[in-house]
Amino acid sequence: EDAQQALTVRIAVHEQEYCLAERARADADFAREIQQVVTILKTQMQTALDHLEHGQLGATAAVLAQVDSVTSENLRKRALAFHGSETQSADFFAAFKQYVTQFAASNGLHADISIDADLDINQLAPMTRLQAMRILQEVLVNVGKHAQAQRIETSITRTADGIALTVRDDGIGFD
C-alpha cells in the first residue's frame, strides 16, 4: 500500500510539473507572438506617419486600416486560443467542437467534426485532454499557415491504447 501511495504521489507530481512546463511554454509562445505583432504594428505606424508627412491621406488611411486589421485579428486569435485551452472542464468534447468550429469560421474553412460516441469523458485524464487540445491547436495553426485548405476534418476516436486525434485537410500538403 505504501508503494501504491508513493506511485500515486509521483504521478501527481509529474502531472503538476507537466502542467507548469506547459504553462511556461504557452507563456513564452504568447510573449513571442505579442513581440511579433508589436514589431508589425510599429512598422505600419511608421509607414502611416511617412505617408501623412507627404500629404498622402489615402495611403495613410489604408495603412491605418491594416493596423486595425492586424490588431483585431491577433486579439481574436489569442482569445480563441485562450478559450480553447479550457480543457479541464467536464465538457471537453464541447470545447473541442467549439474550438474547431471557431477556427474554421475565422479561417474561411468548412469543418467536419466527429467524436466517437463510445468515448467517455471520464476515460480521459485531465492531462490527456490538455495534450489533445494542444495538439489540435498546433495542427490547426499549421493548417491555417501553410495548407491553403478549404476543408478540415477532425475526429477523436477510441483505440485499444487510448484515443486517436485525427485532423485532415484538403490543402497542398508538404514534402
Side-chain angles (χ1 to χ4, degrees):
E1 188 171 307
D2 288 341
Q4 181 65 31
Q5 283 180 325
L7 177 60
T8 302
V9 168
R10 283 196 303 265
I11 290 171
V13 167
H14 176 71
E15 281 193 5
Q16 188 174 29
E17 288 172 349
Y18 181 84
C19 284
L20 291 172
E22 182 64 25
R23 171 55 55 199
R25 183 196 65 78
D27 289 347
D29 286 350
F30 180 73
R32 190 172 37 258
E33 289 173 16
I34 292 298
Q35 185 58 44
Q36 290 172 346
V37 170
V38 167
T39 300
I40 291 168
L41 292 173
K42 282 182 176 181
T43 302
Q44 288 179 327
M45 292 304 292
Q46 186 57 51
T47 301
L49 287 172
D50 291 345
H51 288 310
L52 190 58
E53 285 178 7
H54 291 95
Q56 300 169 331
L57 298 180
T60 302
V63 171
L64 291 176
Q66 287 177 337
V67 167
D68 181 56
S69 175
V70 166
T71 305
S72 299
E73 178 71 13
N74 280 282
L75 288 174
R76 186 184 48 72
K77 284 183 178 181
R78 288 310 309 159
L80 179 61
F82 176 77
H83 292 297
S85 68
E86 300 297 321
T87 60
Q88 298 301 328
S89 72
D91 208 0
F92 168 74
F93 299 130
F96 179 90
K97 288 178 183 178
Q98 181 181 14
Y99 186 84
V100 172
T101 301
Q102 288 177 341
F103 177 86
S106 68
N107 287 279
L109 303 172
H110 175 78
D112 292 321
I113 305 166
S114 172
I115 297 176
D116 190 339
D118 293 333
L119 204 52
D120 179 5
I121 189 66
N122 296 320
Q123 295 172 326
L124 300 178
M127 291 307 300
T128 302
R129 295 192 302 260
L130 176 64
Q131 291 168 348
M133 189 59 80
R134 294 291 185 228
I135 291 166
L136 175 70
Q137 289 171 335
E138 186 66 25
V139 169
L140 291 180
V141 164
N142 286 336
V143 168
K145 284 183 181 179
H146 307 292
Q148 300 174 13
Q150 300 297 310
R151 174 185 215 88
I152 55 174
E153 298 174 15
T154 60
S155 67
I156 300 178
T157 55
R158 188 175 174 172
T159 68
D161 298 328
I163 64 168
L165 169 63
T166 305
V167 177
R168 291 188 176 93
D169 66 68
D170 63 353
I172 61 174
F174 59 92
D175 293 329

